[in-house]
Structures are given as C-alpha cells and as structure tokens.
Amino acid sequence: EAGDQKELTSIGGVLQSIGPLLGPFQHKTYVHRLCALWSPEVYHENDKMRNVLAAVKRGRSLRCTHCGRRGATVGCCVDWCQKTYHIRCAQKAGCEINALEWILSCPEHS
C-alpha cells in the first residue's frame, strides 16, 4: 500500500513506524523495517540487519492468516501452530504481541 511507509502502528504498546523500506533485494523486492525485524531469521550484527533476504524468500511461500496475502513471516510462538501473519495484520487479528521479547501469540494461544 502506498501510504504504509508513513503509517504508524502501535506494537506492544510502543508506537513505531513500519518503514522505512529496506532493499532492493532480488527481483526488486523491498521490505518494511519493522516487518523484517519481526521475522525470526533476521538479526542485527555490527549495526546491520542480517538474513533479510532469507525472510523474504520464506515469506513468498507463506500466506497471512488474517489477510490471505503472501509475505507473512511472523508466526505464533506455539511450535505446532501453523498461523502466520504480517505484523500489522497480527495486531488487527487480535494477536498478543510482546514487543520486549519479540513474541507473538495468535488469538487461539494468547
């Protein structure tokens, strides 16, 4: 969505921007900073985000439980639960989001 880069979202009680966009990655793919940060394979090293492309590749095969679109890389913290979300969709779906520990629980497991 065109306005996503400037939109603010409350995650775990903390107001954060989902932008700026990171990229481009393969095939001219861009990722919101907050979306990348919530992907489990992404981490910081020497002030740089690592494994963002791995998250993009994995997200291509995952559909969001809430909106049905691809790119949902944030899963429920219950190992056997198959629910995955975009971080903004997780909030809209009523997931419990713990921003201090980077943990998401779907509504069924909250």
Side-chain angles (χ1 to χ4, degrees), residues 6-22:
K6 295 179 184 174
E7 189 169 337
L8 295 177
T9 259
S10 176
I11 301 294
V14 179
L15 196 62
Q16 298 186 35
S17 167
I18 63 169
L21 294 174
L22 306 176

Side-chain angles (χ1 to χ4, degrees), residues 44-109:
H44 279 95
E45 181 180 82
N46 299 325
D47 293 328
K48 292 188 180 188
M49 292 175 64
R50 304 289 185 190
N51 277 354
V52 175
L53 184 56
V56 169
K57 288 180 179 180
R58 185 173 64 85
R60 286 184 183 139
S61 66
L62 299 172
R63 289 196 182 269
C64 180
T65 301
H66 182 73
C67 75
R69 293 172 40 200
R70 293 189 187 276
T73 59
V74 186
C76 178
C77 65
V78 175
D79 288 339
W80 49 265
C81 183
Q82 298 293 308
K83 294 179 180 167
T84 59
Y85 299 89
H86 300 106
I87 193 63
R88 290 180 63 227
C89 289
Q91 185 180 31
K92 292 174 186 175
C95 293
E96 184 175 314
I97 300 171
N98 181 332
L100 296 176
E101 296 184 29
W102 299 92
I103 296 173
L104 179 138
S105 301
C106 73
E108 184 177 331
H109 299 116

